[in-house]
Amino acid sequence: MDLFFNLAINGLATGMLIFLLASGLTLIFGLMDVLNFAHGGLFAWGAFSGVWVYDLTGSFTIGVLGAIVTGLLLGVLTEWLIIKPVYGNHVQQILITLGFMLVLSEMLKVVFGPNPIAAEPPAGLEGSFQLGDVILIKYRLFIILIGALVYAITFFILKKTRVGLIVRAGVMDKEMVQSLGINIRFVFMLVFMAGSALAALGGILLAPYSGVIYAEMGMEFAILAFIVVVIGGMGSFTGSLFAAILVGLAQAFMAYYVPSLSLAVNMLLMAAVLIFRPQGLFSLKGGA
Amino acid sequence: MMTTLLKLEGIETYIDQFHILHDVGFEVPKGEVTVLLGRNGAGKTTTLRTIMGLNPATQGSVTFNGKDITKLPPYKVAKEGIGYVPEDQGIFGDLTVGENMRVAMQKEDDSTHERMEWVLNLFPDLKTFWNKPGGQLSGGQKQMLAIARAYMNESELLLIDEPSKGLAPIVVEKVMESIQEMKEKTTIVLVEQNFLMASRIGDRFYILDDGQTVHQGQMNELEKDESLKKKYLGIA
């Protein structure tokens, strides 16, 4: 039983990290109809800039804030310079964002050096609790907590505020939202910034979890995030949470019981969803 | 004296490579219902979309309340006081009726609450189904919601595209009665294929044919002109 709990906690923590990346991606796709392959680059930049600030200040909290600010700034720049000229053209979006993803990865090597960088949890989050036979690693619980908190806050914003209402309406019908007097481009920008900040937050949280960060990590996680968006339903925020947890758990259990299938399991899950429910598990197109 | 609220002059509109509107021009007097008539594909919907800035004109001008709005983006056109009810109603299906209405509310003050009260009295079904998702309403209720929502957006002019389309005759009757009541509050440009309905609530008409305005006049004149009706509207 303790093994089951440990694997479940591990899977949940991984799922929450993927969720942070995928939630922004699903909103950006749902609202803006933009396929942003550079999203993983923002995740990696969040990790590197956050760890750098963490090393510099000795405070993990300031490191997290540093990552979020990096995400916001890169989000504005990406939307303005890269995405804006290719709105409405998926082929151009794929090409330019994939290209920008490579630029972001290479720029990480230029700024932080080509070697992987080690990262450790802050002192308060090191170690574990023992609950009977079950060992609960503090940092993993922390990631699950932050993921749940981000979900709750974002869900509240989407469901209970006017901005959230506009975002949900925009996911369904952008043209109509504009016709009701709302500057959808400004909303696009806000969502893009928020999505980028969530990706960067995921990046800095991953650093102490995996113990090492490297420039190519963005692409690896971006693929996982796209799988999650497809499984959860494009544009569905809740869908991305469930799908991310599903992917995280499947990966954790498969890695233990059938290691040879641990990488393929995500693709198999996505293929099954595409065959039996192509609109995703949560097909509602309301962004929440 | 008649005050012109909306004026289109020499409008040319393209959608992709297709030249849809050729030199469209008309005037909408304040407080009246102006009906755009014409066969399918005549350019009626594109005219409304051009006014809203959704398919911007490449030439010509759209003047609203004396201000040139030709090049404004749709959200600024709406803020000028033009409400739009598209052919497909544009209901946000996963949002409740109340949320659909709230999206359109630019502010929450006394005048907004007065508007809300008035429009909910006009469409009591909306009050009944306030917490129901818009996507689950009947066709007629969706149409009512679309009109009410456009009115909530502080609109001085409503552009309504084929409100009777796909509705049962009894529901069409109800929707048209509501539009007639809305005449008291706002100016209306109505695109309508149902000539009987259009003639009941319209004050003046413009006929569009192949992307051009080919005839105009008072609605009661058109009712008597059988040859015009036959030629452009296919009504024998």
Side-chain angles (χ1 to χ4, degrees):
Chain A
M1 201 61 181
D2 54 333
L3 175 68
F4 175 84
F5 274 111
N6 281 326
L7 288 174
I9 296 284
N10 204 2
L12 271 176
T14 309
M16 285 303 189
L17 287 171
I18 303 168
F19 162 67
L20 290 174
L21 189 58
S23 56
L25 203 59
T26 202
L27 286 179
I28 288 169
F29 184 82
L31 179 69
M32 302 158 77
D33 199 24
V34 167
L35 290 163
N36 179 22
F37 281 90
H39 204 64
L42 305 173
F43 179 78
W45 267 88
F48 276 81
S49 60
V51 168
W52 180 73
V53 175
Y54 176 27
D55 281 347
L56 207 68
T57 60
S59 162
F60 186 66
T61 310
I62 298 176
V64 168
L65 290 175
I68 290 173
V69 170
T70 306
L72 289 172
L73 293 176
L74 276 176
V76 174
L77 283 176
T78 310
E79 201 274 341
W80 194 46
L81 294 174
I82 307 294
I83 305 293
K84 205 171 164 182
V86 293
Y87 272 125
N89 188 325
H90 282 159
V91 175
Q92 288 183 1
Q93 284 166 14
I94 291 169
L95 291 174
I96 198 165
T97 56
L98 267 176
F100 191 57
M101 169 81 216
L102 295 175
V103 171
L104 286 173
S105 293
E106 293 307 307
M107 284 299 290
L108 278 173
K109 292 177 188 167
V110 172
V111 176
F112 297 101
N115 299 321
I117 293 174
E120 284 179 8
L125 295 172
E126 276 180 326
S128 57
F129 300 112
Q130 182 98 20
L131 209 70
D133 287 338
V134 182
I135 296 165
L136 301 169
I137 296 168
K138 280 188 197 172
Y139 192 74
R140 288 180 189 170
L141 293 176
F142 170 71
I143 289 175
I144 295 168
L145 184 73
I146 295 290
L149 205 62
V150 165
Y151 175 76
I153 292 170
T154 313
F155 190 82
F156 177 82
I157 292 171
L158 284 171
K159 283 284 189 187
K160 299 289 177 193
T161 67
R162 178 160 171 80
V163 172
L165 186 63
I166 291 168
V167 169
R168 286 190 291 141
V171 169
M172 283 175 262
D173 191 340
K174 289 176 270 294
E175 206 170 70
M176 196 61 233
V177 169
Q178 293 185 76
S179 302
L180 291 171
I182 293 153
N183 183 355
I184 198 81
R185 289 301 311 275
F186 180 67
V187 180
F188 279 4
M189 175 74 95
L190 287 182
V191 169
F192 205 94
M193 285 172 69
S196 304
L198 285 178
L201 174 64
I204 175 64
L205 292 182
L206 172 83
Y209 176 71
S210 66
V212 65
I213 52 175
Y214 46 96
E216 291 80 15
M217 63 187 266
M219 186 50 105
E220 275 176 34
F221 272 81
I223 291 168
L224 277 177
F226 269 102
I227 292 172
V228 160
V229 169
V230 172
I231 293 175
M234 293 188 181
S236 171
F237 183 70
T238 301
S240 70
L241 175 74
F242 277 85
I245 291 173
L246 185 67
V247 165
L249 289 173
Q251 220 172 16
F253 280 90
M254 280 297 186
Y256 186 82
Y257 290 110
V258 197
S260 56
L261 270 182
S262 68
L263 286 176
V265 68
N266 301 320
M267 294 293 177
L268 292 173
L269 274 173
M270 184 172 72
V273 168
L274 285 174
I275 291 167
F276 297 108
R277 199 175 157 82
Q279 72 274 36
L281 297 178
F282 288 71
S283 57
L284 111 162
K285 242 199 141 221
Chain B
M1 198 182 117
M2 183 188 92
T3 315
T4 300
L5 185 64
L6 178 79
K7 189 175 180 183
L8 276 74
E9 281 178 299
I11 291 293
E12 305 276 338
T13 301
Y14 287 79
I15 297 179
D16 300 323
Q17 73 272 36
F18 303 107
H19 193 173
I20 308 292
L21 301 184
H22 316 260
D23 195 24
V24 167
F26 62 84
E27 290 187 26
V28 176
K30 203 169 188 166
E32 290 191 5
V33 174
T34 302
V35 184
L36 298 185
L37 296 164
R39 293 174 194 268
N40 274 340
K44 305 182 297 292
T45 295
T46 306
T47 303
L48 297 192
R49 290 177 60 84
T50 297
I51 297 167
M52 281 310 294
L54 294 165
N55 293 124
T58 49
Q59 274 183 55
S61 68
V62 183
T63 314
F64 180 67
N65 257 335
K67 182 178 174 181
D68 186 355
I69 60 163
T70 321
K71 300 290 175 201
L72 291 186
Y75 81 95
K76 284 195 176 167
V77 173
K79 276 183 187 273
E80 288 295 322
I82 301 182
Y84 178 48
V85 181
E87 202 175 347
D88 67 358
Q89 299 147 349
I91 298 300
F92 306 118
D94 290 334
L95 302 191
T96 63
V97 169
E99 286 174 330
N100 267 277
M101 296 289 278
R102 272 176 48 218
V103 176
M105 286 163 62
Q106 298 293 332
K107 54 181 190 259
E108 286 200 41
D109 57 11
D110 288 348
S111 75
T112 314
H113 290 131
E114 271 171 37
R115 272 176 178 263
M116 180 71 91
E117 208 178 309
W118 185 82
V119 90
L120 289 181
N121 282 333
L122 184 63
F123 302 116
D125 276 8
L126 300 184
K127 217 187 289 184
T128 311
F129 299 114
W130 191 252
N131 292 315
K132 194 173 177 179
Q136 291 178 17
L137 298 178
S138 69
Q141 288 163 344
K142 278 183 188 165
Q143 193 59 260
M144 291 169 195
L145 174 57
I147 295 170
R149 191 180 59 182
Y151 175 71
M152 279 313 293
N153 199 23
E154 308 217 5
S155 302
E156 211 177 323
L157 170 70
L158 283 186
L159 310 177
I160 308 179
D161 197 352
E162 297 220 32
S164 69
K165 193 177 176 186
L167 301 183
I170 192 164
V171 182
V172 171
E173 186 70 26
K174 211 170 162 187
V175 169
M176 288 301 167
E177 274 171 21
S178 313
I179 293 176
Q180 204 144 20
E181 280 203 48
M182 295 211 79
K183 274 174 77 171
E184 309 298 319
K185 295 276 181 183
T186 182
T187 306
I188 295 170
V189 174
L190 183 69
V191 164
E192 186 52 69
Q193 294 268 17
N194 185 331
F195 180 73
L196 277 179
M197 290 297 164
S199 60
R200 251 180 54 196
I201 57 174
D203 295 303
R204 66 175 57 223
F205 73 92
Y206 287 87
I207 295 180
L208 268 70
D209 189 48
D210 199 19
Q212 289 174 300
T213 27
V214 289
H215 274 283
Q216 59 163 305
Q218 295 297 318
M219 208 68 206
N220 50 14
E221 292 166 15
L222 179 63
E223 280 179 70
K224 295 170 202 154
D225 194 333
E226 297 301 329
S227 64
L228 199 61
K229 282 197 282 183
K230 191 173 181 184
K231 186 175 178 189
Y232 291 110
L233 307 175
I235 303 168

